[in-house]
Amino acid sequence: MLKMSDVIDMCRVPEGKKIRLKDLHTSWDGTASVTESKRRHEAKHLLQEDVHHLAAAQELLYAAHTWSVLVIFQAMDAAGKDGTISHVMSGVNPQGCEVFSFKQPSAEELNHNFLWRCSKALPERGRIGIFNRSYYEEVLIVKVHPDLLANQRIPGANPGKRSFWKGRYKDINQFERHLVRNGTQIVKFFLNVSKDEQKQRFIARVDDPAKNWKFSTADVAERAHWDDYMSAYEEMLNSTSTKYAPWYVIPADQKPTAHLLVAQILSNTIQKLGLKFPELTPSQHEALVESKAKLEAEGA
């Protein structure tokens, strides 16, 4: 397998450098040549190790109580956001982690600025907050379907002008810069699934009665806008991947590999915060010793 530094370099969208999604792989096995079964076995084995490392990092984050971590997932339908969150966070203490899924905005949310509903759900210090979709929908689905903007009743808003979208990218970057300055580290994942793989996953949902509930005819209708979405994602990645809040493009056609990459990058992100367990003051240490003595005396 590649070293962690290689994984990060491979997936990270560098600030100021334009990427093209058509040049990026949706499938990657991390080795020169392996069989499908071996690749899956290796990925699952390594994921168990990384889940353990992530759990330890999350415990330190909770104890240090200085930083919080905001994890954002964006992807096309059936790219595996739910499954990735479930697998990667399987070893994390649920008291220190919360997941928010953002659907169609409510009437109340439409009466506020586009960052409002997500800002209410930001993680507290010491906690990991996960956004399954986010304010980035405002430069994705709203860009592909600009008629949705009318519901927001923004004075003078014109989605036909490039300046409108540049303004939204600027708002997002400034918002995220503010969060990082105030102790919320941000890491963003785009699960890059191919159109053909999405098709196969949709068919699997239809064929499996246990997965029928996941299928929506609206998802199939959105496939007609695939190229428009790819264009919107590409501009979003190029405009909002920064040193302080980077985007990582994760090859998502093979789920075990995608889970592994996300776990490694997220664990590494927390470790780089330089967190330490709280140190006791002399008086606190003395009280600790006294408490231990009292407990030991109970059995005397």
Side-chain angles (χ1 to χ4, degrees):
M1 296 294 289
L2 295 177
K3 295 186 298 184
M4 169 53 59
S5 58
D6 294 328
V7 172
I8 292 176
D9 289 342
M10 181 195 73
C11 297
R12 185 169 182 159
V13 178
E15 181 177 5
K17 182 179 179 181
K18 303 298 182 182
I19 58 101
R20 297 192 305 175
L21 283 178
K22 68 179 182 180
D23 294 334
L24 302 181
H25 295 293
T26 59
S27 177
W28 180 77
D29 61 18
T31 59
S33 178
V34 295
T35 63
E36 174 72 10
S37 59
K38 184 177 180 181
R39 178 187 58 75
R40 281 181 165 273
H41 176 76
E42 289 182 350
K44 289 181 178 180
H45 174 71
L46 290 171
L47 178 61
Q48 291 177 350
E49 295 181 3
D50 282 299
V51 166
H52 176 75
H53 294 154
L54 181 58
Q58 185 264 338
E59 182 181 12
L60 179 55
L61 177 74
Y62 189 83
H65 202 69
T66 51
W67 284 90
S68 60
V69 175
L70 173 61
V71 186
I72 294 176
F73 285 95
Q74 292 287 161
M76 294 294 286
D77 294 311
K81 297 186 300 300
D82 292 339
T84 300
I85 293 170
S86 175
H87 282 81
V88 172
M89 308 307 293
S90 60
V92 171
N93 187 333
Q95 293 185 87
C97 179
E98 194 164 7
V99 180
F100 294 91
S101 295
F102 295 96
K103 307 295 184 181
Q104 182 177 342
S106 67
E108 179 187 20
E109 290 166 345
L110 288 170
N111 280 329
H112 293 80
N113 70 76
F114 76 92
L115 294 168
W116 182 75
R117 67 172 180 163
C118 291
S119 64
K120 294 195 304 175
L122 290 170
E124 303 171 1
R125 297 192 190 281
R127 297 172 65 89
I128 298 174
I130 299 175
F131 285 0
N132 185 342
R133 302 192 188 277
S134 66
Y135 44 82
Y136 279 101
E137 291 296 295
E138 295 293 330
V139 293
L140 293 170
I141 189 171
V142 176
K143 193 171 187 180
V144 174
H145 300 285
D147 54 300
L148 294 174
L149 190 64
N151 296 328
Q152 299 181 25
R153 299 183 296 278
I154 302 172
N158 185 349
K161 290 187 175 181
R162 182 170 176 77
S163 59
F164 173 80
W165 301 108
K166 289 180 69 175
R168 288 215 154 172
Y169 298 136
K170 184 177 181 180
D171 289 341
I172 289 172
N173 287 337
Q174 291 178 336
F175 175 66
E176 291 181 344
R177 186 71 186 95
H178 165 75
L179 293 180
V180 175
R181 265 201 309 266
N182 286 275
T184 297
Q185 181 60 57
I186 303 170
V187 57
K188 302 174 292 193
F189 296 105
F190 169 55
L191 303 185
N192 190 23
V193 70
S194 67
K195 190 175 183 180
D196 183 63
E197 178 63 20
Q198 186 198 57
K199 173 185 173 180
Q200 298 306 318
R201 293 181 186 181
F202 280 165
I203 292 174
R205 289 180 179 182
V206 175
D207 290 343
D208 185 350
K211 294 183 178 180
N212 286 172
W213 66 274
K214 289 186 175 183
F215 183 78
S216 170
T217 56
D219 293 341
V220 176
E222 287 300 287
R223 276 176 62 84
H225 303 283
W226 183 276
D227 290 343
D228 292 332
Y229 273 109
M230 291 301 101
S231 177
Y233 270 110
E234 187 172 290
E235 186 167 1
M236 175 202 74
L237 293 167
N238 288 329
S239 300
T240 61
S241 188
T242 59
K243 292 180 180 178
Y244 51 85
W247 275 106
Y248 294 90
V249 179
I250 305 297
D253 280 2
Q254 282 85 32
K255 293 179 181 180
T257 304
H259 300 164
L260 175 62
L261 292 173
V262 169
Q264 289 180 335
I265 293 170
L266 180 54
S267 179
N268 184 71
T269 297
I270 298 176
Q271 291 170 7
K272 288 178 65 176
L273 293 176
L275 302 171
K276 296 180 179 179
F277 284 105
E279 294 185 6
L280 298 181
T281 64
S283 60
Q284 289 174 326
H285 181 72
E286 183 179 346
L288 201 65
V289 173
E290 292 178 356
S291 296
K292 179 183 178 181
K294 289 180 180 179
L295 290 170
E296 291 177 337
E298 288 181 1

